[in-house]
């Protein structure tokens, strides 16, 4: 592989806290990567990503069938849906920003 290209987008959603079970929300940043060769238009992949995240924006991730107990759960869901992605990184904001990465 000769390299990767990427795009990213943010969305807000909630999930249930693992300890308390109480719902709470985060701003999530999702970065998707794909092989630089052959050329793929970043605008098309960015539109796909923002459309996907728009379906989850301001909603409960568990109700969308996503288990975001860790960022890896969200990254894995996106990598399964992605059009030939090489990897997905998810960053969760909040008091303790953290991230995960998933690969197909």
């Amino acid at each position: 592989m000769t390299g990767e290209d990427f795009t990213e987008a943010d969305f807000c959603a909630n999930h249930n806290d693992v300890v308390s079970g109480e719902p709470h929300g985060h701003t999530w940043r999702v970065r998707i990567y794909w092989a630089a060769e052959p050329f793929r238009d970043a605008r098309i992949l960015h539109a796909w990503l923002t459309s996907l995240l728009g379906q989850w924006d301001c909603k409960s991730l568990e109700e969308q069938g996503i288990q975001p107990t860790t960022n890896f759960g969200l990254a894995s869901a996106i990598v399964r849906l992605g059009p030939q992605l090489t990897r997905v990184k998810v960053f969760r904001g909040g008091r303790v920003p953290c991230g995960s990465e998933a690969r197909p």
Side-chain angles (χ1 to χ4, degrees), residues 22-104:
E22 294 295 317
H24 68 275
H26 296 283
T27 298
W28 308 78
R29 172 162 289 165
V30 176
R31 184 179 296 165
I32 60 171
Y33 296 82
W34 61 90
E37 297 290 334
F39 173 77
R40 294 177 71 199
D41 193 334
R43 293 173 297 186
I44 293 169
L45 288 160
H46 186 76
W48 172 83
L49 178 62
T50 56
S51 174
L52 175 67
L53 299 181
Q55 296 172 37
W56 300 338
D57 196 38
C58 300
K59 295 183 178 161
S60 166
L61 292 176
E62 283 95 351
E63 290 177 8
Q64 304 302 310
I66 300 166
Q67 296 302 320
T69 304
T70 66
N71 296 341
F72 183 72
L74 182 55
S76 296
I78 295 167
V79 91
R80 282 192 306 274
L81 297 170
Q84 301 172 348
L85 302 178
T86 57
R87 59 188 168 132
V88 173
K89 285 188 174 183
V90 173
F91 306 92
R92 183 176 66 203
R95 283 182 263 158
V96 182
C98 55
S100 288
E101 180 177 309
R103 296 175 185 257

Side-chain angles (χ1 to χ4, degrees), residues 7-25:
T7 189
E8 63 185 22
D10 297 338
F11 75 109
C12 296
N14 70 30
H15 69 103
N16 294 327
D17 184 81
V18 134
V19 176
S20 70
E22 294 295 317
H24 68 275

